[in-house]
Short mmCIF file of all heavy atoms in Angstrom, two decimals:
data_model
loop_
_atom_site.label_atom_id
_atom_site.label_comp_id
_atom_site.label_asym_id
_atom_site.label_seq_id
_atom_site.Cartn_x
_atom_site.Cartn_y
_atom_site.Cartn_z
N PRO K 125 18.01 25.83 -1.51
CA PRO K 125 19.14 25.37 -0.71
C PRO K 125 20.48 25.75 -1.32
O PRO K 125 20.58 25.91 -2.54
CB PRO K 125 18.93 23.85 -0.64
CG PRO K 125 18.29 23.55 -1.94
CD PRO K 125 17.42 24.68 -2.21
N THR K 126 21.55 25.75 -0.53
CA THR K 126 22.85 25.91 -1.09
C THR K 126 23.31 24.61 -1.81
O THR K 126 23.94 24.68 -2.86
CB THR K 126 23.86 26.16 0.05
OG1 THR K 126 23.41 27.27 0.84
CG2 THR K 126 25.24 26.51 -0.45
N ASP K 127 22.95 23.42 -1.22
CA ASP K 127 23.27 22.17 -1.85
C ASP K 127 22.14 21.20 -1.55
O ASP K 127 21.33 21.44 -0.63
CB ASP K 127 24.55 21.62 -1.27
CG ASP K 127 25.79 22.43 -1.66
OD1 ASP K 127 26.07 22.54 -2.87
OD2 ASP K 127 26.43 22.99 -0.73
N GLY K 128 22.08 20.07 -2.31
CA GLY K 128 21.10 19.05 -2.04
C GLY K 128 19.81 19.33 -2.81
O GLY K 128 19.73 20.21 -3.71
N ALA K 129 18.83 18.46 -2.63
CA ALA K 129 17.58 18.47 -3.34
C ALA K 129 16.42 18.15 -2.52
O ALA K 129 16.57 17.48 -1.45
CB ALA K 129 17.70 17.52 -4.50
N ALA K 130 15.25 18.60 -2.89
CA ALA K 130 14.01 18.26 -2.23
C ALA K 130 12.95 18.02 -3.33
O ALA K 130 12.88 18.76 -4.31
CB ALA K 130 13.54 19.31 -1.30
N ARG K 131 12.19 16.98 -3.11
CA ARG K 131 11.15 16.62 -4.11
C ARG K 131 9.82 16.44 -3.34
O ARG K 131 9.73 15.92 -2.26
CB ARG K 131 11.49 15.36 -4.88
CG ARG K 131 12.59 15.49 -5.85
CD ARG K 131 13.10 14.23 -6.48
NE ARG K 131 13.85 13.46 -5.46
CZ ARG K 131 15.17 13.65 -5.25
NH1 ARG K 131 15.88 14.49 -5.97
NH2 ARG K 131 15.80 12.86 -4.42
N VAL K 132 8.73 16.92 -4.00
CA VAL K 132 7.38 16.76 -3.45
C VAL K 132 6.54 16.03 -4.49
O VAL K 132 6.37 16.51 -5.63
CB VAL K 132 6.68 18.10 -3.14
CG1 VAL K 132 5.25 17.88 -2.66
CG2 VAL K 132 7.55 18.78 -2.05
N GLY K 133 6.08 14.82 -4.23
CA GLY K 133 5.32 14.01 -5.19
C GLY K 133 6.19 13.71 -6.40
O GLY K 133 5.60 13.58 -7.52
N GLY K 134 7.46 13.65 -6.20
CA GLY K 134 8.42 13.33 -7.36
C GLY K 134 8.80 14.56 -8.10
O GLY K 134 9.67 14.47 -8.96
N HIS K 135 8.29 15.73 -7.77
CA HIS K 135 8.69 16.99 -8.48
C HIS K 135 9.78 17.65 -7.76
O HIS K 135 9.64 18.00 -6.57
CB HIS K 135 7.44 17.89 -8.58
CG HIS K 135 6.27 17.31 -9.30
ND1 HIS K 135 6.20 17.07 -10.65
CD2 HIS K 135 5.07 16.96 -8.79
CE1 HIS K 135 5.06 16.55 -10.98
NE2 HIS K 135 4.32 16.46 -9.86
N ASP K 136 10.87 17.99 -8.36
CA ASP K 136 11.96 18.72 -7.82
C ASP K 136 11.52 20.15 -7.56
O ASP K 136 11.02 20.82 -8.44
CB ASP K 136 13.18 18.71 -8.77
CG ASP K 136 14.40 19.31 -8.13
OD1 ASP K 136 14.41 20.57 -7.92
OD2 ASP K 136 15.35 18.56 -7.85
N VAL K 137 11.70 20.57 -6.36
CA VAL K 137 11.14 21.88 -5.91
C VAL K 137 11.85 23.05 -6.55
O VAL K 137 11.31 24.19 -6.60
CB VAL K 137 11.13 22.05 -4.40
CG1 VAL K 137 10.28 20.91 -3.72
CG2 VAL K 137 12.56 22.12 -3.80
N GLN K 138 13.08 22.82 -7.06
CA GLN K 138 13.77 23.90 -7.82
C GLN K 138 13.49 23.84 -9.29
O GLN K 138 13.27 24.86 -9.89
CB GLN K 138 15.25 23.79 -7.47
CG GLN K 138 15.65 24.12 -6.05
CD GLN K 138 17.16 24.11 -5.92
OE1 GLN K 138 17.81 25.04 -6.20
NE2 GLN K 138 17.68 23.00 -5.35
N ALA K 139 13.47 22.65 -9.86
CA ALA K 139 13.30 22.52 -11.31
C ALA K 139 11.80 22.69 -11.70
O ALA K 139 11.51 23.22 -12.77
CB ALA K 139 13.79 21.15 -11.77
N ASP K 140 10.90 22.26 -10.81
CA ASP K 140 9.44 22.38 -11.14
C ASP K 140 8.68 22.82 -9.92
O ASP K 140 7.85 22.09 -9.42
CB ASP K 140 8.98 20.99 -11.62
CG ASP K 140 7.63 21.10 -12.42
OD1 ASP K 140 7.07 22.26 -12.52
OD2 ASP K 140 7.15 20.06 -12.87
N PRO K 141 8.90 24.07 -9.49
CA PRO K 141 8.28 24.53 -8.27
C PRO K 141 6.71 24.62 -8.26
O PRO K 141 6.07 24.30 -7.29
CB PRO K 141 8.91 25.94 -7.98
CG PRO K 141 9.37 26.38 -9.36
CD PRO K 141 9.76 25.13 -10.06
N LEU K 142 6.15 24.96 -9.42
CA LEU K 142 4.69 25.08 -9.52
C LEU K 142 4.03 23.71 -9.32
O LEU K 142 3.00 23.65 -8.63
CB LEU K 142 4.33 25.72 -10.80
CG LEU K 142 4.65 27.16 -11.03
CD1 LEU K 142 4.22 27.68 -12.37
CD2 LEU K 142 3.96 28.03 -9.92
N ALA K 143 4.56 22.71 -9.88
CA ALA K 143 4.00 21.37 -9.72
C ALA K 143 4.09 20.94 -8.27
O ALA K 143 3.13 20.33 -7.74
CB ALA K 143 4.74 20.33 -10.64
N ALA K 144 5.20 21.23 -7.65
CA ALA K 144 5.31 20.90 -6.19
C ALA K 144 4.33 21.65 -5.36
O ALA K 144 3.67 21.12 -4.53
CB ALA K 144 6.75 21.21 -5.74
N ARG K 145 4.22 22.97 -5.64
CA ARG K 145 3.29 23.81 -4.81
C ARG K 145 1.84 23.33 -4.89
O ARG K 145 1.07 23.47 -3.93
CB ARG K 145 3.41 25.23 -5.28
CG ARG K 145 4.69 25.95 -4.94
CD ARG K 145 4.72 27.31 -5.51
NE ARG K 145 6.07 27.88 -5.53
CZ ARG K 145 6.43 28.94 -6.17
NH1 ARG K 145 5.54 29.57 -7.02
NH2 ARG K 145 7.65 29.38 -6.12
N ARG K 146 1.43 22.83 -6.10
CA ARG K 146 0.05 22.37 -6.22
C ARG K 146 -0.32 21.22 -5.26
O ARG K 146 -1.44 21.02 -4.93
CB ARG K 146 -0.17 21.90 -7.70
CG ARG K 146 -0.17 23.08 -8.68
CD ARG K 146 -0.60 22.60 -10.03
NE ARG K 146 -0.47 23.68 -11.01
CZ ARG K 146 0.56 23.79 -11.91
NH1 ARG K 146 1.52 22.81 -11.94
NH2 ARG K 146 0.65 24.81 -12.71
N LEU K 147 0.70 20.53 -4.84
CA LEU K 147 0.46 19.36 -3.95
C LEU K 147 0.54 19.73 -2.45
O LEU K 147 0.19 18.92 -1.62
CB LEU K 147 1.53 18.29 -4.24
CG LEU K 147 1.53 17.66 -5.63
CD1 LEU K 147 2.70 16.69 -5.77
CD2 LEU K 147 0.19 17.06 -5.97
N ILE K 148 0.92 20.94 -2.18
CA ILE K 148 1.30 21.34 -0.79
C ILE K 148 0.33 22.24 -0.15
O ILE K 148 -0.18 23.18 -0.72
CB ILE K 148 2.70 22.06 -0.78
CG1 ILE K 148 3.78 21.11 -1.23
CG2 ILE K 148 2.99 22.58 0.66
CD1 ILE K 148 5.15 21.80 -1.40
N GLY K 149 -0.05 21.96 1.13
CA GLY K 149 -0.72 22.91 1.99
C GLY K 149 0.28 23.30 3.06
O GLY K 149 0.83 22.45 3.77
N TYR K 150 0.56 24.61 3.18
CA TYR K 150 1.71 25.06 3.96
C TYR K 150 1.24 26.00 5.09
O TYR K 150 0.56 27.01 4.77
CB TYR K 150 2.75 25.74 3.07
CG TYR K 150 3.93 26.34 3.78
CD1 TYR K 150 4.54 25.66 4.88
CD2 TYR K 150 4.45 27.50 3.36
CE1 TYR K 150 5.64 26.21 5.51
CE2 TYR K 150 5.60 28.05 3.95
CZ TYR K 150 6.17 27.40 5.06
OH TYR K 150 7.27 28.01 5.64
N LEU K 151 1.52 25.71 6.31
CA LEU K 151 1.33 26.58 7.44
C LEU K 151 2.65 27.08 7.92
O LEU K 151 3.34 26.32 8.59
CB LEU K 151 0.52 25.92 8.53
CG LEU K 151 0.34 26.76 9.82
CD1 LEU K 151 -0.61 27.99 9.57
CD2 LEU K 151 -0.19 25.93 10.98
N PRO K 152 3.06 28.29 7.53
CA PRO K 152 4.40 28.75 8.00
C PRO K 152 4.43 29.17 9.50
O PRO K 152 3.33 29.26 10.12
CB PRO K 152 4.72 29.99 7.11
CG PRO K 152 3.30 30.49 6.75
CD PRO K 152 2.44 29.27 6.72
N GLU K 153 5.64 29.34 10.01
CA GLU K 153 5.71 29.73 11.39
C GLU K 153 5.00 31.06 11.67
O GLU K 153 4.36 31.22 12.69
CB GLU K 153 7.21 29.82 11.76
CG GLU K 153 7.45 30.08 13.25
CD GLU K 153 8.90 30.03 13.60
OE1 GLU K 153 9.74 30.18 12.67
OE2 GLU K 153 9.26 29.94 14.75
N GLN K 154 5.18 32.01 10.78
CA GLN K 154 4.57 33.32 10.84
C GLN K 154 3.52 33.36 9.71
O GLN K 154 3.87 33.54 8.53
CB GLN K 154 5.53 34.49 10.75
CG GLN K 154 6.57 34.50 11.79
CD GLN K 154 6.00 34.75 13.14
OE1 GLN K 154 5.03 35.42 13.36
NE2 GLN K 154 6.64 34.23 14.19
N VAL K 155 2.21 33.19 10.06
CA VAL K 155 1.18 33.14 9.00
C VAL K 155 0.95 34.51 8.42
O VAL K 155 0.65 35.46 9.11
CB VAL K 155 -0.14 32.58 9.64
CG1 VAL K 155 -1.15 32.40 8.49
CG2 VAL K 155 0.08 31.32 10.34
N PRO K 156 1.02 34.64 7.04
CA PRO K 156 0.85 35.98 6.45
C PRO K 156 -0.64 36.26 6.22
O PRO K 156 -1.23 35.98 5.20
CB PRO K 156 1.57 35.71 5.05
CG PRO K 156 1.41 34.26 4.77
CD PRO K 156 1.43 33.59 6.11
#
Side-chain angles (χ1 to χ4, degrees):
T126 306
D127 294 296
R131 289 172 286 273
V132 176
H135 303 287
D136 187 289
V137 300
Q138 294 185 78
D140 198 357
L142 290 179
R145 289 175 195 166
R146 292 188 185 101
L147 300 177
I148 297 171
Y150 177 39
L151 175 67
E153 186 177 16
Q154 300 295 330
V155 185

